[in-house]
């Protein structure tokens, strides 16, 4: 039932229209259609030890002089997308992207700082307000026309069901099934299109259960109110890892795409420094360790590239 999918959005992670057009007022603790806080329980946020990551002189030497002299790498991120980047219980920026940023900074011999921003307004501010943008940006052709991107992670759409799959659910056979998802996401758009395909084939449409957050969708699948969770792969993996065995993955990751660190086009030296730092983290196993702590080592890539093919 998936042969005629709508064209994949430029990014899996989409800021709501209301946010994209709002004033530039970062809201660290606000919840939107594309956000949720998953740190309600003490075990929901891993502590990743980065003390073993040291500066690599031949890589740090690539950093532009202005940033080297400042000693700090400034990042812009929309802190509303757990587990990539969100707000911790003490108001700090946390998530695997924040740990990756800190690890990259260590390799480059720099401290790092993340400023909260409206997602749609990060890219225009990279190169002026921010040195980089690490905020789950999908690499796509439109963005590559405006900025340089350094690949570091891969994500897509993935699924989870109640442990043991008691309802015998298959991701490619969801006509008439209770599909739990977050409103305002690509998954909702895709499910609407697939539901129409079901009707065209004289089968029942998806019974879509749309929730304000992915955490609510996951909870209801674990509790049996939904048949299957459909979400971005980082979100699904994190939900499974924190579900205490009540959820399990099913099917393959679909519509996979690279995520990239955003750098201004006039900063090729910085882009190369970031690429080398990310590759160092991959080669030494630190990247896998960071991602595994957040339940997302499936997103590990073997090679970091500057401006990879989308």
């Amino acid at each position: 039932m998936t042969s005629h999918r709508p064209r994949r959005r430029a990014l899996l992670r989409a800021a709501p229209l209301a946010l994209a057009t709002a004033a530039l007022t970062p809201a660290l603790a606000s919840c939107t259609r594309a956000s949720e806080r998953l740190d309600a329980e003490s075990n929901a946020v891993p502590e990743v030890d980065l003390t073993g990551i040291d500066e690599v002189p031949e890589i740090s030497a690539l950093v532009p002089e202005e940033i080297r002299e400042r000693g700090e790498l400034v990042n812009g991120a929309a802190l509303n997308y757990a587990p990539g980047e969100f707000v911790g219980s003490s108001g700090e920026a946390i998530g695997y992207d924040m740990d990756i940023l800190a690890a990259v900074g260590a390799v480059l011999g720099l401290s790092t700082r993340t400023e909260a921003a409206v997602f749609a307004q990060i890219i225009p501010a990279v190169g002026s307000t921010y040195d980089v943008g690490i905020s789950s940006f999908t690499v796509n052709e439109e963005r590559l026309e405006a900025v340089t991107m350094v690949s570091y992670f891969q994500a897509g759409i993935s699924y989870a069901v109640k442990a043991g799959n008691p309802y015998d659910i298959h991701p490619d056979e969801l006509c008439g099934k209770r599909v739990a998802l977050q409103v305002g996401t690509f998954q909702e758009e895709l499910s609407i299109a697939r539901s129409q395909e079901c009707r065209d084939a004289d089968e029942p449409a998806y019974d879509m259960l749309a929730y304000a957050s992915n955490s609510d969708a996951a909870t209801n699948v674990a509790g049996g109110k939904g048949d299957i969770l459909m979400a971005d792969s980082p979100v699904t993996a994190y939900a499974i890892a924190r579900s205490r065995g009540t959820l399990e993955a099913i099917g393959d990751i679909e519509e996979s795409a690279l995520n990239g660190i955003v750098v201004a086009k006039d900063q090729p030296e910085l882009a190369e420094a970031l690429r080398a730092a990310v590759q160092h983290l991959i080669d030494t196993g630190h990247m896998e360790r960071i991602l595994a702590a957040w339940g997302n080592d499936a997103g590990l890539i073997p090679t970091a590239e500057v401006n990879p093919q989308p």
Side-chain angles (χ1 to χ4, degrees):
M1 298 306 302
T2 61
S3 58
H4 297 93
R5 297 179 186 172
R7 185 177 68 84
R8 186 182 181 280
R9 276 187 186 173
L11 65 159
L12 289 172
R13 180 206 171 170
L17 181 61
L19 260 183
T21 57
L24 255 173
T25 306
L28 289 182
S30 65
C31 289
T32 72
R33 292 185 303 168
S35 70
E36 74 268 40
R37 291 186 59 166
L38 300 183
D39 63 336
E41 301 178 20
S42 60
N43 69 341
V45 177
E47 292 186 8
V48 183
D49 184 6
L50 304 178
T51 57
I53 304 175
D54 300 318
E55 179 180 354
V56 180
E58 59 268 32
I59 298 178
S60 62
L62 300 172
V63 176
E65 183 178 356
E66 178 186 352
I67 297 175
R68 273 207 316 273
E69 290 181 352
R70 188 200 314 151
E72 181 182 57
L73 192 67
V74 181
N75 174 49
L79 303 179
N80 58 9
Y81 184 70
E85 49 275 331
F86 59 116
V87 181
S89 55
S90 300
E92 73 280 22
I94 58 176
Y96 62 75
D97 272 347
M98 301 301 97
D99 286 337
I100 291 170
L101 171 67
V104 166
V107 174
L108 299 179
L110 302 170
S111 63
T112 59
R113 173 166 54 91
T114 291
E115 296 185 0
V118 174
F119 184 74
Q121 297 178 352
I122 295 172
I123 286 181
V126 169
S128 54
T129 304
Y130 318 118
D131 299 313
V132 297
I134 303 180
S135 191
S136 299
F137 284 102
T138 302
V139 177
N140 62 59
E141 293 179 359
E142 181 180 359
R143 290 197 175 115
L144 291 176
E145 290 179 1
V147 292
T148 297
M149 301 189 77
V150 179
S151 58
Y152 69 98
F153 184 70
Q154 187 159 305
I157 298 172
S158 63
Y159 303 88
V161 295
K162 188 173 182 178
N165 195 9
Y167 308 120
D168 192 26
I169 300 299
H170 301 278
D172 56 348
E173 298 175 3
L174 295 182
C175 294
K177 304 301 182 183
R178 299 172 299 172
V179 180
L181 46 78
Q182 184 181 19
V183 296
T185 60
F186 177 61
Q187 287 78 23
E188 182 180 36
E189 180 181 313
L190 189 61
S191 293
I192 291 171
R194 290 181 178 178
S195 288
Q196 186 57 53
E197 293 176 358
C198 292
R199 296 187 192 95
D200 293 343
D202 294 324
E203 296 185 52
Y206 285 19
D207 181 6
M208 282 197 297
L209 307 178
Y211 296 94
S213 71
N214 276 308
S215 55
D216 287 341
T219 297
N220 281 283
V221 171
K225 292 183 179 180
D227 293 323
I228 188 168
L229 170 69
M230 182 182 187
D232 288 358
S233 56
V235 174
T236 302
Y238 191 62
I240 292 169
R242 307 301 162 187
S243 72
R244 296 190 177 92
T246 58
L247 291 173
E248 67 179 50
I250 188 171
D252 299 322
I253 294 178
E254 302 175 358
E255 312 233 354
S256 187
L258 291 169
N259 282 7
I261 302 171
V262 175
V263 188
K265 273 193 174 294
D266 62 357
Q267 290 276 16
E269 297 89 356
L270 178 58
E272 177 55 26
L274 291 166
R275 185 210 63 77
V278 171
Q279 190 63 53
H280 175 77
L281 294 173
I282 294 170
D283 293 342
T284 55
H286 291 302
M287 182 68 79
E288 184 175 15
R289 182 169 60 85
I290 292 169
L291 293 174
W294 290 94
N296 267 280
D297 46 314
L300 181 71
I301 61 173
T303 306
E305 299 178 88
V306 175
N307 292 337
Q309 182 69 30

